[in-house]
């Protein structure tokens, strides 16, 4: 086994070296050729509680218990766990954190707070899949909370979200529940109206935004541009 001293004051963890080597590129490089020499590793800058979640995943492939604060998902803890997984080369843990955040957001109808997004944008790479996930959560689930305390949100996050909303992808379209819609009261219209939706013309209406568009005149991607 390899002993870890994590956090301040230090909390000891005794982990199987072969397990570390099999799941982490970082520890494979560090321990594979020198397992008999390295028996103690110190991470004073990693919170012991977050490292416990890493250990849980290491032995069970699950993040348990799921972090909760004041009755809602503790997304900040999961983001810090993701950051540590990147640092220590646990690719499987990175993927699991992304899945857990996605599932929690759907199950609890919640999104990250402004302070959570600051953690994301200040300490996690721009190319990270978790950034794309967070933008998806805001774009497809809710953006109503952004108007309160706008100064708290990272400027780059707001810029990225605006671009994301203007350029939806296939996933965005699939998350909208479309139904056929015909304006029964329309018997005539002016030239301008006809260019948008001719009278008695079949169309699609999005149940989320209630925006009718002619299926012959506009492509589906324009529904959400």
């Amino acid at each position: 086994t390899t002993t870890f001293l994590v956090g301040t004051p230090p909390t000891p963890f005794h982990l199987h070296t072969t397990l570390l080597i099999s799941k982490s590129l970082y520890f494979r490089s560090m321990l594979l050729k020198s397992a008999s020499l390295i028996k103690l590793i110190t991470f004073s800058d990693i919170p012991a509680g977050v490292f416990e979640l890493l250990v849980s995943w290491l032995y069970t492939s699950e993040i348990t218990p799921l972090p909760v604060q004041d009755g809602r998902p503790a997304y900040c803890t999961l983001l810090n766990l993701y950051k540590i997984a990147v640092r220590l080369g646990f690719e499987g843990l990175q993927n699991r954190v992304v899945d857990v955040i996605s599932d929690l957001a759907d199950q609890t109808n919640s999104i990250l707070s402004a302070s959570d997004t600051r953690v994301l944008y200040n300490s996690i790479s721009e190319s990270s899949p978790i950034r794309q996930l967070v933008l998806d959560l805001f774009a497809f689930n809710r953006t109503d909370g952004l108007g309160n305390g706008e100064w708290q949100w990272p400027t780059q996050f707001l810029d990225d979200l605006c671009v994301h909303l203007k350029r939806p992808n296939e996933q965005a379209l699939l998350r909208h529940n479309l139904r056929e819609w015909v304006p029964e009261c329309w018997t005539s219209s002016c030239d301008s109206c006809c260019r948008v939706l001719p009278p008695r013309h079949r169309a699609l209406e999005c149940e989320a935004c209630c925006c009718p568009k002619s299926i012959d005149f506009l492509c589906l991607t324009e529904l959400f541009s």
Side-chain angles (χ1 to χ4, degrees), residues 38-157:
I38 300 177
K39 291 296 183 181
L40 179 64
I41 300 175
T42 301
F43 290 130
S44 58
D45 59 333
I46 296 179
V50 178
F51 196 81
E52 285 180 358
L53 295 176
L54 184 153
V55 174
S56 171
W57 172 84
L58 187 64
Y59 284 91
T60 68
S61 296
E62 296 293 338
I63 300 173
T64 54
L66 290 176
V68 176
Q69 184 177 6
D70 298 329
R72 67 183 302 274
Y75 291 117
C76 184
T77 300
L78 290 169
L79 291 173
N80 283 319
L81 179 60
Y82 185 92
K83 181 172 62 175
I84 293 169
V86 172
R87 171 181 169 182
L88 301 182
F90 288 104
E91 184 176 352
L93 179 55
Q94 297 173 46
N95 295 333
R96 187 60 191 144
V97 171
V98 170
D99 291 340
V100 167
I101 290 180
S102 178
D103 292 342
L104 285 175
D106 283 340
Q107 294 168 8
T108 63
N109 190 30
S110 62
I111 52 175
L112 280 69
S113 67
S115 60
D116 295 334
T117 58
R118 286 198 298 273
V119 173
L120 175 64
Y121 272 74
N122 290 339
S123 58
I124 295 178
S125 170
E126 180 179 354
S127 60
S128 170
I130 203 168
R131 279 211 189 186
Q132 183 65 39
L133 169 66
V134 171
L135 291 172
D136 287 345
L137 293 178
F138 275 86
F140 308 146
N141 291 350
R142 53 187 296 187
T143 56
D144 54 307
L146 291 175
N148 300 322
E150 291 184 4
W151 60 271
Q152 299 179 356
W153 300 92
T155 302
Q156 187 59 52
F157 163 70

